C-alpha cells in the first residue's frame, strides 16, 4: 500500500491538475462548472496511471508464474503458494487497499463496484492467509487486469478529446473483446475446476463465484456501451 500511495503522490505532482475535470461535471456537457473545479485536485489522472502500471505489472508476473515457472493454474488449484505467487498477491493486496481507500474518500462508487472491491480483497486475503490457491488466484488476476489496461487507456483518450473518433472505437472494441473473452468466457472454465476440486478452501470458491457473478453483471453494461459506439459509427457512416 505504501508503494502504490507513494507512486500516486509522485504522479499527482507531475500530471495536469485539470485532468478529470470534464468527467466530474454533473451535467455531462464537459463545461467547467463549480463542482468540477472543486474536483480538480482529486488526482483521478494519477490514480488511473497507477492502475495502468499495476495492471501491466500483474499481467507480467501472472504470465511468468503460470506459463514460465509454474505451476499451471488448472492442474494445481488449492496447492501451497510459491514465493512468486505470494509476492504477486501481496502486490495486489497493497493496490486493492490503496484503490479502495481512494474510491471511498472520493465517493461516487456504484454498489456493483464496491462489491467488486471487497470481493477482490477477500479473495487475495484468503490466498495469503491460507498460503494456498495462489495459482488460480494469480491466474484470475491476469484475466481481470488484462481487461483493465484498455479500460484505463480509454479514460485517457476521452481526456485527450478523442471521443467519437476511430481510435476511440478501436479501444472500445479492444476493451469489450478482452473483457468478454477473459471474464465471461475463460474465467468460468477456471472457476469450474476450482469448484469441482476438493483442494481449494470454501472461501476461495465463494470469492471466485462472487467475482464471476459481478463480471457477468458488468458484461451487460460493456455490451450495451459497445453497441452504442458501433451504432454511432454506423449512423455517421
Amino acid at each position: 500500500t505504501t508503494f502504490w500511495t507513494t507512486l500516486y503522490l509522485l504522479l499527482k505532482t507531475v500530471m495536469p491538475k485539470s485532468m478529470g475535470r470534464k468527467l466530474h461535471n454533473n451535467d455531462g456537457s464537459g463545461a467547467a462548472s463549480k463542482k468540477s473545479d472543486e474536483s480538480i485536485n482529486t488526482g483521478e489522472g494519477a490514480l488511473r496511471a497507477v492502475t495502468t502500471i499495476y495492471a501491466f505489472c500483474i499481467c507480467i508476473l501472472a504470465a511468468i508464474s503460470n506459463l514460465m515457472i509454474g505451476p499451471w493454474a488448472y492442474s494445481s488449484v488449492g496447492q501451497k503458494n510459491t514465493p512468486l505467487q505470494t509476492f504477486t498477491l501481496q502486490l495486489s493486496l497493497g493496490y486493492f487497499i490503496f484503490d479502495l481507500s481512494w474510491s471511498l474518500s472520493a465517493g461516487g462508487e456504484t454498489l456493483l463496484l464496491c462489491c467488486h472491491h471487497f470481493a477482490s480483497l477477500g479473495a487475495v486475503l484468503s490466498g495469503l492467509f491460507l498460503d494456498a490457491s495462489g495459482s488460480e488466484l494469480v491466474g484470475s488476476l491476469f484475466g481481470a487486469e488484462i481487461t483493465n489496461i484498455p479500460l484505463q487507456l480509454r479514460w485517457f483518450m476521452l481526456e485527450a478529446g478523442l471521443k467519437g473518433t476511430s481510435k476511440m472505437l478501436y479501444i472500445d472494441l479492444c476493451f469489450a473483446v478482452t473483457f468478454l473473452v477473459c471474464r465471461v468466457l475463460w474465467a468460468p472454465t477456471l472457476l469450474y475446476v476450482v469448484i469441482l476440486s476438493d483442494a481449494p478452501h470454501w472461501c476461495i470458491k465463494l470469492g471466485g463465484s462472487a467475482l464471476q457473478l459481478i463480471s457477468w453483471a458488468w458484461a451487460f453494461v460493456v455490451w450495451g456501451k459497445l453497441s452504442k459506439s458501433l451504432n454511432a459509427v454506423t449512423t455517421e457512416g
Side-chain angles (χ1 to χ4, degrees):
T1 303
T2 302
F3 171 76
W4 296 116
T5 302
T6 302
L7 179 60
Y8 165 76
L9 293 174
L10 288 173
L11 290 172
K12 188 178 178 181
T13 61
V14 299
M15 297 185 74
K17 291 184 179 180
S18 60
M19 184 167 283
R21 178 185 299 185
K22 290 177 289 186
L23 299 187
H24 282 286
N25 191 348
N26 268 351
D27 60 11
S29 65
S33 65
K34 181 178 179 181
K35 183 173 181 62
S36 66
D37 288 338
E38 292 172 350
S39 65
I40 288 175
N41 293 323
T42 57
E44 184 171 2
L47 172 74
R48 300 274 183 171
V50 170
T51 300
T52 306
I53 294 170
Y54 160 75
F56 270 112
C57 291
I58 291 302
C59 287
I60 293 171
L61 289 172
I64 293 173
S65 177
N66 266 286
L67 302 179
M68 298 177 65
I69 298 177
W72 176 239
Y74 285 89
S75 60
S76 57
V77 295
Q79 292 186 9
K80 181 178 174 60
N81 296 345
T82 66
L84 180 56
Q85 289 169 353
T86 298
F87 173 75
T88 304
L89 292 177
Q90 289 173 339
L91 196 65
S92 294
L93 178 62
Y95 169 78
F96 289 154
I97 293 174
F98 157 74
D99 186 47
L100 178 61
S101 300
W102 190 96
S103 299
L104 292 177
S105 64
E109 295 296 321
T110 64
L111 177 60
L112 192 60
L113 194 54
C114 286
C115 290
H116 180 266
H117 282 313
F118 285 110
S120 299
L121 266 174
V124 171
L125 279 170
S126 297
L128 289 171
F129 178 77
L130 297 168
D131 193 27
S133 292
S135 59
E136 60 264 38
L137 287 171
V138 170
S140 299
L141 284 170
F142 176 86
E145 299 309 330
I146 200 169
T147 67
N148 207 354
I149 295 172
L151 178 62
Q152 303 309 319
L153 293 178
R154 181 183 186 276
W155 187 89
F156 284 108
M157 291 177 71
L158 285 172
E159 280 294 312
L162 296 176
K163 182 177 181 180
T165 64
S166 58
K167 293 179 180 179
M168 196 71 228
L169 177 60
Y170 294 148
I171 200 68
D172 281 345
L173 285 171
C174 181
F175 168 65
V177 170
T178 54
F179 186 96
L180 295 174
V181 170
C182 292
R183 295 200 184 193
V184 178
L185 298 179
W186 169 71
T189 66
L190 182 56
L191 179 61
Y192 177 78
V193 174
V194 170
I195 290 177
L196 287 187
S197 174
D198 293 329
H201 194 273
W202 65 265
C203 61
I204 299 294
K205 298 182 179 184
L206 179 62
S209 300
L211 287 169
Q212 188 57 61
L213 289 174
I214 293 170
S215 291
W216 279 334
W218 266 341
F220 289 101
V221 178
V222 171
W223 182 256
K225 289 183 178 295
L226 177 62
S227 300
K228 185 177 179 179
S229 297
L230 291 174
N231 288 335
V233 172
T234 304
T235 301
E236 290 177 1

